[in-house]
């Protein structure tokens, strides 16, 4: 994934994400959470939807649905 690049959602078989199919988003980069209490690091990915400007956090399982434009 490249920060600042445009991606298109390509979702066919995932009912929860099908509503995004064909929509564009801008990849904003990793959003890392360090939990000192649990000793865990969680890496999420931040995107911004083109058109309405809403930002979302994705986990790595959603990245396979993003195709570089």
């Amino acid at each position: 994934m490249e920060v600042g690049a445009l991606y298109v959602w390509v979702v066919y078989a995932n009912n929860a994400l099908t509503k995004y199919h064909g929509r564009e988003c801008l990849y904003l980069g990793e959003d890392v959470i360090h939990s000192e209490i649990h000793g865990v690091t969680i890496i999420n990915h931040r995107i911004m939807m083109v058109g309405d400007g809403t930002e979302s956090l994705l986990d790595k399982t959603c990245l396979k649905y993003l195709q570089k434009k």
Side-chain angles (χ1 to χ4, degrees), residues 1-3 7 9 25-33 41-49 54-64 66:
M1 303 295 295
E2 183 181 332
V3 175
Y7 289 84
W9 284 91
C25 65
L26 179 67
Y27 182 70
L28 301 175
E30 292 182 350
D31 192 309
V32 181
I33 300 169
T41 299
I42 301 168
I43 301 175
N44 290 313
H45 301 270
R46 187 173 295 280
I47 63 163
M48 182 176 67
M49 299 301 291
T54 57
E55 289 189 20
S56 297
L57 282 178
L58 309 176
D59 66 11
K60 66 180 179 181
T61 62
C62 294
L63 298 181
K64 63 186 173 189
L66 298 178

Side-chain angles (χ1 to χ4, degrees), residues 1-28:
M1 303 295 295
E2 183 181 332
V3 175
L6 281 175
Y7 289 84
V8 176
W9 284 91
V10 181
V11 184
Y12 294 108
N14 184 311
N15 291 334
L17 297 175
T18 304
K19 63 184 176 183
Y20 299 115
H21 180 75
R23 292 200 55 198
E24 295 180 345
C25 65
L26 179 67
Y27 182 70
L28 301 175

